[in-house]
Amino acid sequence: MTKLIFLPLRLGAGVIAGIVGKSLFRALWGLLDDHEAPKPEHRRVRLPMLALALVIEGALFRGLRGLADHGSRRAFARLTGSWPGEQAPEAE
């Protein structure tokens, strides 16, 4: 039940993180190159630039989404007193 109540908060935080990530990526790419960031669907693209764009974009989005997810869990726990998820990583 807790996960079902937590879901809208998690989705909202993810959407906001995506919007912020997109803006931040455009700003960062603007510092690196005057042209739009290359995308995999572009036919004429330099592979090193495509790889760089994908690595930066992936790391940025993964980091922001992870921070947003953890922040939404902390907010939920403060409001309800219940942590929605695992308390700690499982030992290997």
Side-chain angles (χ1 to χ4, degrees):
M1 185 66 173
T2 302
K3 288 184 181 183
L4 186 61
I5 296 170
F6 172 64
L7 188 60
L9 182 61
R10 183 179 186 192
L11 291 174
V15 168
I16 292 169
I19 292 168
V20 169
K22 193 174 199 178
S23 298
L24 202 57
F25 174 70
R26 284 184 182 154
L28 284 172
W29 190 260
L31 296 174
L32 296 174
D33 197 3
D34 295 333
H35 301 290
E36 177 186 346
K39 295 180 180 138
E41 61 266 14
H42 291 154
R43 184 173 186 161
R44 293 187 181 133
V45 62
R46 294 187 349 233
L47 289 180
M49 291 300 276
L50 175 62
L52 180 62
L54 293 172
V55 167
I56 291 171
E57 186 177 29
L60 188 62
F61 276 90
R62 178 72 174 155
L64 288 174
R65 295 275 317 246
L67 291 171
D69 184 55
H70 187 72
S72 64
R73 289 175 189 276
R74 288 178 59 122
F76 184 84
R78 272 190 235 121
L79 290 171
T80 65
S82 174
W83 183 263
E86 304 288 326
Q87 293 294 324
E90 293 182 15
E92 292 184 20

